[in-house]
Amino acid sequence: IPCIHPAIKPDESKKSRRRKSRKKVAGGKKSHKFLPGTVALRQIKKYQDSNQTLLQKLPFERMVRGHAESSLSKGPKTIHFAQGTMEVIQFFVEQKVTSLLKMAVEWAVYAKREGIVGKDVQKAWEVSFPWVPQIEMEAPLDDQKLKGTNGLVRLGRQAGAKRIGKEAFPVIRQFIHSLITISLARVIRYIRYRGVITVGTSDLEKS
């Protein structure tokens, strides 16, 4: 069921005050313009009703495999993922990111803002996920990666965020990086105990 915070819902009295001056396009027709926040609320309802993964699968899989290879300091130099394990990892990560952004929305509403910013996500991380240490990313993020592509905006809509500031995206990406790093470290510990090089769903459940 879509859950939108009452504080970010539009004022019903403003709906009747439509702007009379609209720009004319070719042919003499007036261009339709939605009220601010209408499209965002529509996307919130859409993605909260969806049960599919929202992050792009191939970039996410490459990121997980890269973290797995970098975590292998001893023992086998490569690990394999059984069929279906990537989907389980992605569902797990998206669930935690959505929970983080929901808490960030609460902090933004507490600060009387409709959109979340970086300090809201940081505060939600410190309060709700103290078991996820803040691990610094090796490569700095360039400006092209701060635009919310790769499903981060969709996850924000699923969490009920009406607006997401560009300074919040590096914090979200750092949270995903830290979450995957600590999760894969536990998974590798279990498969080494079993003496195998393939990650299965049972290893994910145990970790």
Side-chain angles (χ1 to χ4, degrees):
I1 301 175
C3 180
I4 304 175
H5 201 285
I8 66 174
K9 289 184 178 180
D11 190 0
E12 296 294 334
S13 61
K14 294 182 180 179
K15 290 186 176 180
S16 59
R17 304 181 215 167
R18 295 281 182 176
R19 293 184 178 180
K20 296 182 179 180
S21 59
R22 295 178 180 175
K23 295 181 179 180
K24 292 185 178 181
V25 296
K29 296 182 180 179
K30 294 182 179 180
S31 61
H32 181 73
K33 186 176 182 180
F34 291 103
L35 291 176
T38 303
V39 178
L41 293 176
R42 185 184 304 170
Q43 291 177 350
I44 290 174
K45 295 178 182 179
K46 173 185 175 181
Y47 291 122
Q48 286 184 349
D49 285 335
S50 174
N51 58 357
Q52 303 294 326
T53 55
L54 300 180
L55 293 175
Q56 295 180 3
K57 293 184 178 180
L58 289 180
F60 182 82
E61 183 176 348
R62 286 195 297 266
M63 179 175 59
V64 171
R65 293 186 183 276
H67 281 74
E69 295 293 336
S70 61
S71 301
L72 296 174
S73 57
K74 298 179 181 179
K77 295 302 180 181
T78 182
I79 61 174
H80 303 281
F81 292 89
Q83 185 178 6
T85 53
M86 280 295 176
E87 288 79 3
V88 175
I89 296 174
Q90 187 168 349
F91 270 113
F92 169 75
V93 171
E94 290 188 6
Q95 180 186 15
K96 297 304 178 184
V97 173
T98 303
S99 301
L100 174 74
L101 295 179
K102 283 182 179 179
M103 184 58 65
V105 171
E106 295 289 338
W107 283 104
V109 172
Y110 178 75
K112 298 181 180 180
R113 292 192 305 270
E114 289 187 349
I116 61 176
V117 294
K119 60 181 180 181
D120 298 327
V121 182
Q122 189 69 39
K123 189 66 176 179
W125 187 350
E126 296 173 358
V127 173
S128 302
F129 295 91
W131 54 274
V132 181
Q134 297 187 13
I135 302 175
E136 295 294 334
M137 302 181 68
E138 297 179 357
L141 296 174
D142 52 39
D143 295 337
Q144 297 298 325
K145 295 183 179 180
L146 301 182
K147 296 182 178 180
T149 57
N150 197 19
L152 295 183
V153 170
R154 292 192 290 269
L155 288 177
R157 294 289 187 261
Q158 190 178 52
K162 194 173 182 180
R163 299 189 189 93
I164 304 177
K166 65 178 183 179
E167 66 274 8
F169 292 112
V171 184
I172 301 172
R173 292 180 185 277
Q174 185 183 7
F175 176 79
I176 295 175
H177 166 78
S178 304
L179 182 62
I180 292 177
T181 301
I182 188 175
S183 301
L184 288 179
R186 296 180 180 180
V187 171
I188 292 174
R189 189 185 310 164
Y190 284 116
I191 66 173
R192 283 176 177 172
Y193 178 80
R194 292 177 53 204
V196 297
I197 61 173
T198 302
V199 178
T201 54
S202 59
D203 300 316
L204 298 178
E205 293 174 359
K206 183 67 176 177
S207 61

